Amino acid sequence: MRETEKIWMNGELVDWADAKIHVGAHGLHYGSGVFEGIRCYETEKGSAVFRLTDHLQRLHNSARLIQMELPFSVEGLKAACNEVIGVNGLPECYLRPLAFYGYGELGVRPTGCPVDVVIMSWPWGTYLGDDALENGVRAKISSWQRIGPNVIPHVAKATGVYLNSMLAVLEASKAGYEEAILLTETGYVADGSGENIFVVKNGRIATPDLSSSILPGITRDSVIQIAQDLGYTVEEKNLVRADLYLADEIFMCGTAAEVTPVRSVDDREVGDPGPITREIQSAYLDTVRGKREQWSHWLEYAPNPSAVTGS
Ligand code: PPE
């Protein structure tokens, strides 16, 4: 991880090296937190954060789902994100807002623990490897199932949930694959360890619907809109592993992974990134860098571009 200058902690900017918490913090023991992953991109008009408000609204929804009261409003967090972007002076960065039960009492019930909120920012390159965007990744269906909706609400981007993703991605990488694909307990395709998934067959695009134990990805939502605007039909429906094995094209998407092609699943070749994947990928990558007017409403420019770009 490349260190930057400052981290925002509970309303204050602190030096990177001093952004510490006590080992008794509740969130450390029980994974009791919620978080976001947001990208800020360099555009011709200065740095722009992709769908900042939607991400921070989702953070609030995640907190609500685990009955955590966030001490900062969406507007307050938006100002904080812009502050971090400005002070660290990076034209492009990944933002990581995180809210967790802090140091107070131990015991699973979080009564008596403060809610701490932090925002980190740093440059995060390609999520799934250097040539993932260009050539795609090899994926493996995990032996670990996605956490079901009555285990932990999957709509919440909660820290503890990621143990499930960690197990899946460790298993996949130890077996020589770049990413894991998780199925639900009933055997439908859910998602990747940190991405949503799309399948292309005979020119039609499909993705698991929101009831399939998936995070309602903001990139997923953007991709659906982009694909529809480009004239494609996008079906949100149950998919099974055979749909992956027989797909013409597969891609994964997320803030970190952007739009990453999948070249094989369980060693069954899907092949080089196909034309629809390429079209959507380039539309997305152009959009986030302010090069497509059609979807420019998703960009939220940092208020003071000169402070942000350092120019
Ligand atoms: N599913 C999962 C399980 C997931 O973690 C992410 C984001 C998505 C779908 C896509 O959501 P969205 O970013 O809103 O399009 N994963 C984050 C990375 C997790 C990590 O720290 O690793 C991300 O992409 O920022």
Side-chain angles (χ1 to χ4, degrees):
M1 171 181 266
R2 222 185 86 193
E3 295 181 7
T4 54
E5 292 261 315
K6 301 281 185 190
I7 291 175
W8 185 93
M9 284 186 95
N10 296 320
E12 301 199 353
L13 290 170
V14 300
D15 288 344
W16 181 281
D18 297 332
K20 294 178 180 159
I21 57 159
H22 196 274
V23 292
H26 192 278
L28 192 58
H29 293 248
Y30 309 116
S32 52
V34 292
F35 70 105
E36 272 304 319
I38 310 170
R39 276 195 194 266
C40 170
Y41 291 94
E42 188 171 19
T43 77
E44 273 185 357
K45 291 193 267 171
S47 292
V49 185
F50 189 67
R51 301 187 67 170
L52 176 62
T53 307
D54 292 332
H55 277 283
L56 295 174
Q57 189 56 58
R58 188 173 65 184
L59 185 74
H60 265 263
N61 289 346
S62 299
R64 199 168 155 199
L65 280 164
I66 68 161
Q67 295 182 277
M68 169 189 270
E69 229 168 276
L70 286 188
F72 298 94
S73 65
V74 168
E75 285 306 312
L77 291 169
K78 220 191 278 186
C81 285
N82 284 322
E83 209 181 336
V84 174
I85 293 169
V87 74
N88 286 332
L90 297 166
E92 297 213 351
C93 64
Y94 182 86
L95 290 159
R96 169 55 54 85
L98 167 69
F100 57 97
Y101 285 114
Y103 177 70
E105 301 290 334
L106 280 181
V108 177
R109 191 169 43 140
T111 322
C113 296
V115 174
D116 286 325
V117 185
V118 304
I119 304 172
M120 302 171 71
S121 85
W122 73 98
W124 198 353
T126 322
Y127 185 58
L128 292 172
D130 282 346
D131 68 349
L133 288 182
E134 190 52 40
N135 298 319
V137 294
R138 296 174 61 247
K140 178 184 176 355
I141 293 180
S142 184
S143 69
W144 297 100
Q145 288 170 359
R146 220 3 140 196
I147 285 174
N150 291 321
V151 182
I152 301 175
H154 58 262
V155 173
K157 193 167 170 69
T159 58
V161 173
Y162 280 79
L163 198 48
N164 184 222
S165 283
M166 191 190 88
L167 289 168
V169 81
L170 274 179
E171 178 188 64
S173 65
K174 281 197 173 148
Y177 300 85
E178 282 98 42
E179 184 51 304
I181 295 170
L182 291 102
L183 306 181
T184 66
E185 61 178 354
T186 45
Y188 295 116
V189 175
D191 54 7
S193 74
E195 313 85 11
N196 292 115
I197 190 163
F198 284 76
V199 166
V200 181
K201 185 73 184 172
N202 298 329
R204 296 167 74 87
I205 303 172
T207 192
D209 69 278
L210 288 177
S211 63
S212 322
S213 295
I214 60 167
L215 186 75
I218 288 166
T219 320
R220 173 187 181 279
D221 181 72
S222 311
V223 161
I224 291 174
Q225 188 64 55
I226 287 172
Q228 286 173 341
D229 289 349
L230 291 172
Y232 294 104
T233 304
V234 183
E235 285 177 282
E236 296 177 62
K237 62 173 192 181
N238 284 332
L239 295 170
V240 291
R241 62 198 296 166
D243 293 316
L244 300 177
Y245 295 160
L246 294 176
D248 296 332
E249 303 178 32
I250 302 175
F251 61 88
M252 293 175 144
C253 70
T255 300
E258 300 174 308
V259 176
T260 299
V262 175
R263 41 177 325 113
S264 70
V265 177
D266 294 342
D267 298 315
R268 293 162 194 246
E269 288 299 317
V270 181
D272 287 334
I276 295 178
T277 302
R278 283 272 176 249
E279 190 182 359
I280 290 172
Q281 184 191 50
S282 72
Y284 180 79
L285 294 176
D286 280 354
T287 298
V288 296
R289 292 201 168 79
K291 294 179 192 155
R292 297 278 182 116
E293 195 50 43
Q294 193 174 3
W295 301 292
S296 58
H297 55 282
W298 285 326
L299 296 181
E300 295 179 46
Y301 287 88
N304 180 0
S306 61
V308 174
T309 58
S311 58

